[in-house]
Structures are given as C-alpha cells and as structure tokens.
Amino acid sequence: GQNIDQPTEMTATEGAIVQINCTYQTSGFNGLFWYQQHAGEAPTFLSYNVLDGLEEKGRFSSFLSRSKGYSYLLLKELQMKDSASYLCAVIYNQGGKLIFGQGTELSVKP
Amino acid sequence: GAVVSQHPSRVICKSGTSVKIECRSLDFQATTMFWYRQFPKKSLMLMATSNEGSKATYEQGVEKDKFLINHASLTLSTLTVTSAHPEDSSFYICSARRQAGYTFGSGTRLTVV
C-alpha cells in the first residue's frame, strides 16, 4: 500500500499556528495535495507540492521533502472556520491515482 | 473553472435495489475519473479508476460486480451500486483528473434501508 499517514485529530486555539504532518511511501510518488473537507461536502483544494520546499498561499503553507516522504500543512492565524478535516493526498504513477491519507480532524477553540 | 456535476446528492433506497450515481464533466473532457467512498469521520477510499471506452480498474477488495462503473463518453461516468445493502450506505464521490489537478463532484449520500 501507499501508507499515507497523518494524525487523526488535532486541537488548536484561535489565532495560533498549527502544523499537520503527513508521511507517505515514496515509491512512484508524483505529487502531493492538501485538501480541506467539511462533513458531507467535497474536498476543497488547498495546495499542491511536487518539488521540495515550501509553497505559501496566504494563511496556508505546505512543505515537501521528497527524499523523506514527508509533507506538512501549516495554518497560521487560525480562525474558528478552519475547523475541518485536512486531507493529505498523493498522486502515484500508476494511472495517476490520487490516494488519500486518513485525514486530520482539526478543532479550533476560542 | 472546471466543474464536475454529480447526481443525485442524496438517495434513499430499499435493500436489494440498485442505485445509479452519475458524474458529468461540464466544461472539459474527462478521460479518467475516480470513484471514492467515505464513511463518517474517515477519509476517502479509492474504489476504482474509470477510463473512457475501456473497463474500469478496481482497487483490491472492491467487488466489481457489485459496483458497476461505466464511462461511455468523455463527459460521463456512472457508478451503479447493485443489490444494495445497509452496509453500502456511505458518501460516494467522484473526481476527474485534469492537467491542472483534480476536480471533485459534490458527492452522493446513499442510505440503504
């Protein structure tokens, strides 16, 4: 399997910074996405990394290390509306399948 | 932007009946679509890859005779849950691959009673 691992749940305080880690099997790796999902809705695209380094987009940043099979999503200036599930997903070479990790349920508290 | 229209959004069916879910790409041609299912508080599990004009490729453990996939045109893929049972109740979502990434349908909440 592709063994995409991320923490099941995290809790953070409004205004703070939170980092959600993701590790994955490197064989066949062809890119990594981060999505946000609210219950009963489709995932919403947050970021895409295919090269090593940091991609910044407003309050959200994503980092990738291909050699380590590691990525993280960094959320700054947390807001209550950021409470959601965050999904790490990897594209693997075989037919471009997008495989998801188990998702991290983030709770932002006042 | 690219849109994938998924219907129905919700369906309740009786045990033993079949249900068809449609995913249609509205402004682009989707040669490949992916079908996922998601249980409450779980992530998206890939069920199968749907390729236009050819047989779908199913993931290990997914019954191809139970989850029939048809991708007869470049804009439409369908998933039919045959002889549905309560354990098939789930959130089903499709995704189309594009050069710029993946576009998801809005999902179908299936409840089998």
Side-chain angles (χ1 to χ4, degrees), chain A residues 1 7 13 16 23 26 42 49-50 53 56-57 60 62 65 75-76 80 83 91 99 107:
Chain A
T13 305
T23 59
T26 57
N49 295 71
V50 67
E56 297 186 80
K57 188 184 293 185
F60 295 75
S62 58
S65 169
L75 294 77
K76 303 176 185 175
M80 299 297 288
S83 293
I91 309 171
I99 306 299
S107 298

Side-chain angles (χ1 to χ4, degrees), chain A residues 6 30 33 35 37 39-43 45 87-88 91 95-103 105, chain B residues 32 34 36 38 41-46 49 59 91 93 95 97 100-102 104-107 109:
Chain A
Q6 49 182 129
N30 210 18
F33 288 87
Y35 291 92
Q37 187 185 29
E41 298 180 7
F45 170 80
L87 308 174
C88 171
I91 309 171
K97 294 190 294 187
L98 187 62
I99 306 299
F100 285 83
Q102 67 264 38
E105 191 70 33
Chain B
T32 302
F34 302 93
Y36 296 85
Q38 186 175 32
K41 296 190 180 299
K42 300 291 184 182
S43 190
L44 282 74
M45 184 194 79
L46 181 65
T49 302
E59 295 299 303
F91 186 65
I93 190 165
S95 172
R97 186 183 183 194
Y102 296 79
F104 288 86
S106 53
R109 171 71 60 192

Side-chain angles (χ1 to χ4, degrees), chain B residues 25-61:
Chain B
S25 56
L26 298 185
D27 52 359
F28 66 100
Q29 294 183 331
T31 56
T32 302
M33 280 198 180
F34 302 93
W35 286 94
Y36 296 85
R37 69 184 297 180
Q38 186 175 32
F39 292 105
K41 296 190 180 299
K42 300 291 184 182
S43 190
L44 282 74
M45 184 194 79
L46 181 65
M47 299 174 67
T49 302
S50 166
N51 299 295
E52 188 269 334
S54 64
K55 290 184 178 180
T57 303
Y58 290 81
E59 295 299 303
Q60 190 173 6

Side-chain angles (χ1 to χ4, degrees), chain A residues 1 5 9 15 24 38-39 42 51-52 58 61 65 67-68 75 80 90 92 100-101 103 106 108:
Chain A
D5 292 318
E9 52 188 23
Y24 61 88
H38 290 97
L51 299 176
D52 291 348
S61 303
S65 169
S67 62
K68 295 181 180 179
L75 294 77
M80 299 297 288
V90 176
Y92 285 98
F100 285 83
L106 175 66
V108 180

